[in-house]
Amino acid sequence: DIRNTVGNIPMEWYQDFPHIGYDLEGKRIYKPIRNKDELDKFLEKMENPDYWRTVQDKMTGADIKLTDEQVDLVHRLQKGQFGDVHFNPYEPAIDFFTHEVMIHPVTNRPADKRSFIPSLIEKEKVSKLVHAIKMGWIKPRKPKEDTPTYYDLWAHEDPNSILGRHKMHVPAPKMKLPGHEESYNPPPEYLLSEEEKLAWEQQEPAERRLNFVPQQYRCLRAVPAYPRFIQERFERCLDLYLCPRQRKMRVNVDPEDLIPKLPKPRDLQPFPTTQALVYRGHSSLVRCITVSPSGQWLASGTAPRRHQTLRRCRSCSGASLHASSEQSVLLVNPCLGDKLLYGATDQVLESYVPPEEERVQPVQWLTATSEEHGRGIRLTVQHSKALKQVTWHGKGDYFATVVADNSNMQVLVHQTSKRWSQNPFRKSKGMVQCVLFHPIRPYFFVATQRYVRVYNLLKQELTKKLMANCKWVSSMAIHPAGDNVICGSYDSKLAWFDLDLSTRPYQLLRHHRKALRSVAFHKHYPLFASGSDDGTVIVCHGMVYNDLLQNPLLVPVKVLKGHALTLDLGVLDVVFHPTQPWVFSSGADGTVRLYT
């Protein structure tokens, strides 16, 4: 059968291909379809009478039924006989060479000289080998060890034990031996008085020091039968049956191996380490601070002691500043820095054209008077309730406010250029603590007391609901890349969320001893900080990798101290410098401190 002209090669080369070779015209020879499972093979074995003489041809992959001659040939080869039936291995042999010694042999040459004279060449070879062995150049073969390859599995077992589990057998604890109080004639100090007997009877059985009352008899024959004998024996057997006994194996673990391998802080520099400046001037606690985008100016907001109203200040990406006073948001142009920049800000605010039809808004927009304009105030946004927080969008035209209210009017979004405000939520989801705009994508983060909800502003739907696993979220910050969020809480926890990983915290940090008031990310360096009522600012290294499979690296690097506790309040706000690895903090002691 020369249909398969692939040649004399191993047919395993074709086991992953649908064909098994090529014919004389160069076309593929496909394997026969073999889709028989074990059940089909068994049925064929039972039903096909020629199954025992059917074999597979490896060259063509087809099943071939052996003929009687081929089967006979196989049987002969299995028995060790010759393949040819007509071959006779016992034919009479012809003795070509006789065993008798002839007078004239076939060869009668004399023996060579080399057959009886020692060879000089071999002598030189032997002497060289001897010299090499003496010098250690050639080492003799090591004798093979005659140790058996098998070994005794139970060589180190206890010789008295039958099985391995007997080695772990723990004997039952022995019963306590009787003391003097159990004697039939105990000493007088062991006998109970009437008051002690009455107290013993009133006690619970588990609280009694003795489970019997010592009694005195004149002789051993007068001792009656013990009434609790069967009950005690039953309890003893019950303890032995129900209470398992095992030998605890001590695990030798190095305590250093349990500590995670973190890089050293000096390898993670730069980060703020020392207090460089203290800004004084406020008479009461400084609620909030902000740094201009150029990093040259610092603004701070305070809460007067008389009204205890919250005054917040934040800067947007332009040259404007806002401050909140009780129920109003004041948009202020401080006229600092680049003249073109803050001039363009005034142009944007003054280019407003009121619509033909007045729209109903939840707030009231008021243009500043000439006196207020001289002080830098450009617009006033009046709310119905006291304000808790104001935050700017990254592009500077939108800002959001949080009002101290439990209704659906807690969060409002305002557009400065159009002087338009709107309420993005129809119903209240709980007490809102703070809100933030996503730095890159159109997402809006709303933090309530227990959850952080992420809304898509384009689709106007809820995207994610982050569970903070802490009570009363106090503050929130978003990583500049936008994929990680940190939340501070009043129960001394800082939760790091990886938005691509899970809705639960990737890591909970419990570094502070008191409530966290503020958290912040640096815009360029892998740093984040948290301020707490314990008067400290903890700076941590938070490296977020571009590789999505690698988790963020969180390492606390420095504890910054300096603020004095006032009215049980410590650090109230923390903000990083926009370009330098510096951090500003404001506290209840009326100071703002710079750490570099």
Side-chain angles (χ1 to χ4, degrees):
D1 190 356
I2 55 170
R3 286 179 299 164
N4 189 2
T5 57
V6 70
N8 188 16
I9 63 168
M11 298 311 295
E12 289 81 6
W13 293 358
Y14 286 96
Q15 65 181 1
D16 296 330
F17 294 95
H19 61 285
I20 201 167
Y22 302 89
D23 58 6
L24 294 175
E25 296 177 359
K27 297 181 181 179
R28 293 182 180 179
I29 300 174
Y30 287 94
K31 298 177 183 177
I33 299 175
R34 289 186 169 272
N35 54 1
K36 295 181 180 179
D37 55 6
E38 296 297 329
L39 185 59
D40 294 334
K41 292 179 181 178
F42 177 75
L43 292 175
E44 186 182 5
K45 184 179 180 180
M46 295 293 107
E47 297 173 359
N48 187 6
D50 295 327
Y51 178 82
W52 63 275
R53 64 164 65 194
T54 305
V55 296
Q56 181 187 0
D57 186 5
K58 291 186 178 180
M59 288 294 292
T60 59
D63 292 336
I64 297 176
K65 177 183 174 183
L66 298 180
T67 61
D68 294 338
E69 292 80 6
Q70 291 172 337
V71 173
D72 187 34
L73 176 61
V74 171
H75 287 325
R76 291 179 62 83
L77 293 178
Q78 285 180 341
K79 294 178 182 179
Q81 299 175 357
F82 290 95
D84 189 3
V85 183
H86 306 290
F87 179 75
N88 183 15
Y90 305 110
E91 289 181 353
I94 300 173
D95 194 4
F96 293 99
F97 297 94
T98 178
H99 62 280
E100 297 176 0
V101 181
M102 307 288 290
I103 301 173
H104 299 288
V106 178
T107 58
N108 198 12
R109 287 177 61 241
D112 292 331
K113 184 179 180 181
R114 62 173 179 268
S115 64
F116 53 87
I117 292 180
S119 174
L120 295 177
I121 298 175
E122 291 181 358
K123 181 180 179 182
E124 289 180 1
K125 286 184 178 180
V126 172
S127 61
K128 285 182 180 179
L129 291 174
V130 171
H131 180 65
I133 291 173
K134 287 181 180 179
M135 298 299 293
W137 301 335
I138 297 178
K139 295 182 179 179
R141 293 192 183 95
K142 292 183 180 179
K144 292 184 180 180
E145 297 181 359
D146 295 334
T147 55
T149 55
Y150 52 86
Y151 61 95
D152 187 5
L153 184 63
W154 294 279
H156 302 289
E157 283 284 335
D158 185 6
N160 299 324
S161 67
I162 303 171
L163 295 175
R165 60 186 177 85
H166 289 187
K167 183 180 178 182
M168 298 300 293
H169 172 68
V170 181
K174 304 290 184 183
M175 291 185 67
K176 195 182 78 167
L177 295 175
H180 293 297
E181 67 273 9
E182 297 188 47
S183 172
Y184 74 96
N185 188 14
E189 61 266 18
Y190 287 101
L191 298 175
L192 301 181
S193 61
E194 294 297 329
E195 298 176 356
E196 291 174 341
K197 282 184 181 180
L198 188 62
W200 183 87
E201 291 173 354
Q202 292 177 352
Q203 282 181 330
E204 293 291 332
E207 297 177 355
R208 292 171 180 168
R209 188 177 61 87
L210 297 173
N211 56 356
F212 64 95
V213 179
Q215 294 180 355
Q216 188 176 23
Y217 301 96
R218 57 182 179 80
C219 62
L220 196 58
R221 288 176 301 176
V223 177
Y226 185 44
R228 296 190 68 254
F229 176 76
I230 297 178
Q231 185 177 358
E232 280 191 358
R233 285 291 165 182
F234 174 73
E235 291 175 355
R236 166 77 173 168
C237 294
L238 208 61
D239 288 343
L240 295 178
Y241 164 61
L242 292 178
C243 297
R245 299 180 300 277
Q246 66 177 9
R247 182 178 289 120
K248 289 191 176 182
M249 305 298 291
R250 180 184 176 88
V251 181
N252 295 322
V253 179
D254 188 8
E256 297 295 331
D257 296 341
L258 301 177
I259 302 175
K261 299 294 184 292
L262 296 177
K264 296 180 180 179
R266 67 167 177 264
D267 299 334
L268 304 176
Q269 290 178 342
F271 54 83
T273 56
T274 55
Q275 178 177 296
L277 285 175
V278 179
Y279 303 92
R280 305 185 187 276
H282 289 282
S283 59
S284 63
L285 53 142
V286 184
R287 283 285 185 182
C288 55
I289 52 176
T290 186
V291 186
S292 65
S294 63
Q296 188 177 2
W297 304 94
L298 173 71
S300 60
T302 183
R305 294 183 185 275
R306 289 177 296 169
H307 306 294
Q308 290 296 324
T309 56
L310 182 63
R311 295 172 182 259
R312 289 193 175 271
C313 54
R314 282 287 180 268
S315 64
C316 71
S317 58
S320 64
L321 185 80
H322 78 258
S324 59
S325 172
E326 293 188 359
Q327 299 180 7
S328 299
V329 177
L330 309 177
L331 270 76
V332 182
N333 191 347
C335 297
L336 298 174
D338 190 356
K339 188 175 182 179
L340 293 175
L341 194 60
Y342 67 74
T345 302
D346 280 343
Q347 291 179 4
V348 171
L349 296 177
E350 292 171 359
S351 64
Y352 168 71
V353 177
E356 296 178 358
E357 295 182 4
E358 189 174 350
R359 295 175 293 187
V360 179
Q361 300 191 48
V363 299
Q364 186 177 4
W365 291 75
L366 301 176
T367 308
T369 61
S370 58
E371 180 186 355
E372 292 175 339
H373 195 281
R375 289 187 293 162
I377 301 175
R378 300 294 185 264
L379 287 173
T380 302
V381 186
Q382 288 187 350
H383 292 68
S384 59
K385 296 286 181 68
L387 290 163
K388 293 171 62 178
Q389 185 215 2
V390 185
T391 181
W392 279 97
H393 189 269
K395 293 185 178 180
D397 191 20
Y398 293 90
F399 66 92
T401 57
V402 180
V403 182
D405 190 5
N406 286 333
S407 65
N408 62 336
M409 302 289 290
Q410 292 184 83
V411 182
L412 299 174
V413 179
H414 315 272
Q415 187 175 4
T416 310
S417 59
K418 296 183 179 179
R419 300 186 187 180
W420 167 247
S421 302
Q422 56 182 332
N423 174 23
F425 303 113
R426 295 179 181 175
K427 57 182 180 180
S428 174
K429 298 290 186 179
M431 182 75 74
V432 177
Q433 299 296 313
C434 56
V435 295
L436 280 178
F437 288 100
H438 195 281
I440 303 171
R441 293 188 283 272
Y443 290 157
F444 191 53
F445 291 77
V446 179
T448 57
Q449 294 178 349
R450 300 295 296 272
Y451 305 103
V452 177
R453 291 177 171 85
V454 185
Y455 294 94
N456 191 324
L457 296 176
L458 291 180
K459 298 181 180 179
Q460 298 182 0
E461 63 181 11
L462 178 66
T463 304
K464 282 185 181 179
K465 182 180 177 183
L466 308 178
M467 282 163 271
N469 287 356
C470 54
K471 294 182 180 178
W472 281 70
V473 174
S474 63
S475 52
M476 178 174 54
I478 305 175
H479 192 269
D483 292 333
N484 295 271
V485 178
I486 55 174
C487 294
S489 66
Y490 290 117
D491 54 352
S492 309
K493 295 177 185 176
L494 187 145
W496 177 293
F497 291 95
D498 191 340
L499 299 181
D500 297 331
L501 190 66
S502 172
T503 57
R504 297 187 179 275
Y506 161 67
Q507 201 157 345
L508 270 177
L509 305 179
R510 299 178 178 86
H511 298 148
H512 290 283
R513 296 190 303 274
K514 291 186 179 180
L516 273 75
R517 294 282 175 179
S518 178
V519 292
F521 271 112
H522 199 286
K523 287 187 178 180
H524 303 292
Y525 290 95
L527 296 174
F528 66 95
S530 57
S532 170
D533 279 343
D534 57 6
T536 63
V537 176
I538 294 183
V539 180
C540 299
H541 176 86
M543 174 59 76
V544 177
Y545 299 96
N546 294 328
D547 185 6
L548 296 178
L549 298 178
Q550 193 167 1
N551 292 330
L553 175 65
L554 310 182
V555 183
V557 291
K558 190 65 179 178
V559 179
L560 303 173
K561 299 179 181 179
H563 286 279
L565 298 183
T566 306
L567 301 174
D568 286 337
L569 298 175
V571 180
L572 299 179
D573 198 6
V574 173
V575 63
F576 277 100
H577 192 277
T579 56
Q580 299 292 335
W582 302 346
V583 66
F584 297 88
S585 65
S586 64
D589 55 356
T591 62
V592 178
R593 299 173 187 266
L594 167 62
Y595 299 93
T596 61

